[in-house]
Amino acid sequence: MTLSILIASALGILPGFKCIDTTRVTAVYEVYENLYADSRELQYHPCILEVGDNCSTYYCINGWSNYLFEKCKWNKNLYDSYKVEIVKLAGTAFETGRENGLQSLDRPYEYVIKHYPNETKLTHTFSRWDLYKYEEELPQFDWQLEEGDTTLLGYTCHFASCQFRGRTWRAAYALDIPISEGPWKLCGLPGLILYAKDSKDDFTFVCDNLSSIARPMFIPDLRFSSMSPERKQYLDKLMRKDPYAYNRIVNPPRPIPEELRPYIKETPKPAIPSHEACLIEIIEEKKK
């Protein structure tokens, strides 16, 4: 590690972030995601899962890097040191999407934090027009263990499948890594999930690299307003279905003074394709 990394790690300090645990295992995943349910448009983003003593974090590397630069731009050496370490850890995951000609996603404030703020909770932070979060009970997965095995990163992996919030998942997990964790919200198997795909091939997670170097576990130290998962789901659908309606919600138009109305001409809005959003999970609306 570089000197900047060692100092920040020793102090548990990184500008704009707060330390919530000590990372023991880090897994890098190649993530493929289909944007639309009514067509096929895969996008790619490398993500990191950090597993600590008490909780875990899962986040997009591209978004993390951009946010880190914003907070560390006054100290380029610190930014470069951290980015070099993450790029080393990510290995080929950064290049895979480019080689396949896929557009890369950037989600700077989207974190899935399991066992946080306590051991029974999951916290999901994200950005729309502002910064938001919701907390929920840690999801329970009814995994069905299957016959057969495969080898990933040199580990013998076994298969399991389950249904979760509208999707059927098949995962490969490594018993030699006895951590009941995985990418995104997936967890609950007797080994680390190194591969997972849904039955419609809309979402795929492939572990590209593993590391067991201990270091502080950081999350953005920001003020997140609360938004229900149901509201987030509604906005995610609207953003794909009717971008103009979505924009009116996130950026409400200012009223035009009456005396200025004669001088303002409305320009026709360009047509924007309407799509059905491809959601990784379907949140059931709470009955009133």
Side-chain angles (χ1 to χ4, degrees):
M1 286 189 177
T2 63
L3 180 61
S4 298
I5 294 284
L6 288 172
I7 293 174
S9 296
L11 297 176
I13 296 172
L14 187 61
F17 291 81
K18 62 181 177 182
C19 180
I20 61 171
D21 201 352
T22 299
T23 297
R24 301 299 179 184
V25 174
T26 303
V28 180
Y29 292 87
E30 300 172 8
V31 182
Y32 301 88
E33 176 179 330
N34 187 29
L35 292 182
Y36 309 124
D38 52 0
S39 64
R40 194 82 179 156
E41 186 169 326
L42 279 181
Q43 294 206 350
Y44 168 84
H45 52 131
C47 290
I48 282 184
L49 169 69
E50 297 185 27
V51 182
D53 295 323
N54 302 303
C55 55
S56 70
T57 61
Y58 174 79
Y59 55 91
C60 173
I61 298 176
N62 293 336
W64 179 92
S65 176
N66 291 340
Y67 174 67
L68 176 65
F69 176 74
E70 176 64 27
K71 294 301 178 183
C72 294
K73 56 188 176 185
W74 56 273
N75 187 337
K76 191 172 184 299
N77 288 336
L78 181 61
Y79 168 76
D80 287 344
S81 297
Y82 264 90
K83 185 160 186 181
V84 165
E85 292 300 320
I86 290 297
V87 170
K88 284 181 182 176
L89 183 64
T92 60
F94 269 121
E95 301 301 325
T96 301
R98 297 190 188 100
E99 292 172 357
N100 293 336
L102 299 177
Q103 184 177 344
S104 181
L105 292 174
D106 176 8
R107 291 172 173 164
Y109 306 105
E110 187 147 356
Y111 276 64
V112 174
I113 314 168
K114 301 189 193 85
H115 305 287
Y116 185 84
N118 60 54
E119 63 179 10
T120 67
K121 294 289 187 180
L122 178 148
T123 299
H124 187 180
T125 66
F126 53 95
S127 171
R128 286 302 172 261
W129 61 97
D130 206 341
L131 302 178
Y132 293 94
K133 70 175 182 180
Y134 66 77
E135 294 176 9
E136 63 176 343
E137 292 297 317
L138 195 68
Q140 301 298 309
F141 293 84
D142 185 20
W143 292 104
Q144 304 298 311
L145 304 186
E146 300 179 356
E147 296 292 332
D149 58 48
T150 189
T151 301
L152 294 169
L153 297 179
Y155 292 93
T156 298
C157 294
H158 302 272
F159 293 104
S161 60
C162 76
Q163 291 188 350
F164 179 70
R165 295 179 181 172
R167 290 194 178 274
T168 300
W169 292 94
R170 191 167 192 250
Y173 61 97
L175 289 173
D176 289 336
I177 312 174
I179 300 171
S180 185
E181 270 291 353
W184 181 58
K185 296 181 180 181
L186 301 176
C187 61
L189 284 166
L192 181 65
I193 296 173
L194 298 184
Y195 169 90
K197 177 183 280 192
D198 77 293
S199 59
K200 294 181 179 179
D201 292 343
D202 286 329
F203 298 90
T204 304
F205 305 91
V206 183
C207 189
D208 182 77
N209 196 15
L210 290 168
S211 168
S212 57
I213 298 175
R215 57 192 177 90
M217 180 184 292
F218 292 111
I219 61 173
D221 188 12
L222 297 166
R223 186 183 298 275
F224 291 90
S225 301
S226 293
M227 178 186 288
S228 71
E230 294 84 4
R231 178 66 172 172
K232 177 182 181 296
Q233 178 174 266
Y234 168 76
L235 291 173
D236 288 345
K237 289 180 177 179
L238 186 63
M239 182 166 54
R240 305 296 184 203
K241 191 73 174 176
D242 189 343
Y244 287 120
Y246 172 83
N247 193 57
R248 285 194 296 272
I249 292 176
V250 302
N251 294 305
R254 295 181 180 180
I256 300 173
E258 197 63 37
E259 62 272 18
L260 295 180
R261 288 184 181 276
Y263 304 98
I264 295 177
K265 295 182 179 179
E266 287 197 17
T267 56
K269 296 176 180 177
I272 298 179
S274 175
H275 291 284
E276 182 182 347
C278 185
L279 304 177
I280 194 170
E281 60 181 340
I282 302 299
I283 305 294
E284 295 287 341
E285 296 286 340
K286 294 180 179 178
K287 295 182 180 179
K288 297 181 180 179

